[in-house]
Amino acid sequence: MGRIAMLIWVLLIAVVVVLGYIRLAPSEVTEWHVAPVGDSDADTRGSVLRVLQAGPEALKQFDEVARADPGTRVLAGSLDQGMITYITRSKVFGFPDYTTAQQQGEILRIYARLRFGRSDLGVNRARVEAWIAQMPSGG
């Protein structure tokens, strides 16, 4: 019984350490605040790219919607720079996802991706599409 208890404690400590790292690991701006690349929508297991013909105010509209999300904060960028990267953390475990939105003329590119793991189970796609739907122009 002593070995089983010790194994349980070791596993519990390992889980706490991993979850602590996920919550506290720094987000390197140079790694995550990068311009989205692509001219058409794309989905992978861990990311989503949306390219919208949305008009000159699209980034401002998207920014207002993203900032209203309670689990989201700005990591880097600004409206004046024409590109903003947000970090959104899951409620329970605090997994970070990064979303970069960039305005180029009438085109708004939105690239959302996970940091840890191989699949986000569609979370980034669902969030980006919900944010787009909340924009006054409807994306």
Side-chain angles (χ1 to χ4, degrees):
M1 188 70 167
R3 284 186 171 191
I4 292 174
M6 179 64 91
L7 180 61
I8 290 171
W9 277 109
V10 168
L11 289 174
L12 183 61
I13 290 169
V15 167
V16 169
V17 167
V18 168
L19 291 178
Y21 177 75
I22 288 168
R23 278 267 182 205
L24 301 174
S27 297
E28 293 295 328
V29 171
T30 56
E31 183 176 348
W32 299 104
H33 187 58
V34 295
V37 177
D39 293 322
S40 61
D41 293 354
D43 294 63
T44 70
R45 289 180 22 187
S47 69
V48 62
L49 174 68
R50 292 294 177 261
V51 181
L52 310 173
Q53 284 283 108
E57 295 293 311
L59 182 59
K60 181 179 179 195
Q61 294 174 3
F62 186 82
D63 181 58
E64 290 171 0
V65 172
R67 287 177 189 257
D69 187 304
T72 300
R73 67 175 177 82
V74 172
L75 176 67
S78 68
L79 292 172
D80 290 337
Q81 293 174 0
M83 185 169 82
I84 305 171
T85 298
Y86 310 89
I87 181 170
T88 304
R89 291 194 175 270
S90 63
K91 291 179 184 176
V92 177
F93 295 113
F95 284 102
D97 289 325
Y98 299 89
T99 304
T100 301
Q102 181 185 39
Q103 180 94 40
Q104 290 183 311
E106 300 279 318
I107 296 175
L108 179 66
R109 286 183 181 82
I110 304 163
Y111 178 50
R113 64 270 191 210
L114 56 73
R115 176 171 181 177
F116 298 106
R118 294 184 188 155
S119 174
D120 66 1
L121 303 174
V123 170
N124 281 302
R125 184 183 69 233
R127 182 177 45 259
V128 166
E129 289 177 356
W131 285 356
I132 291 169
Q134 292 174 51
M135 293 169 60
S137 64

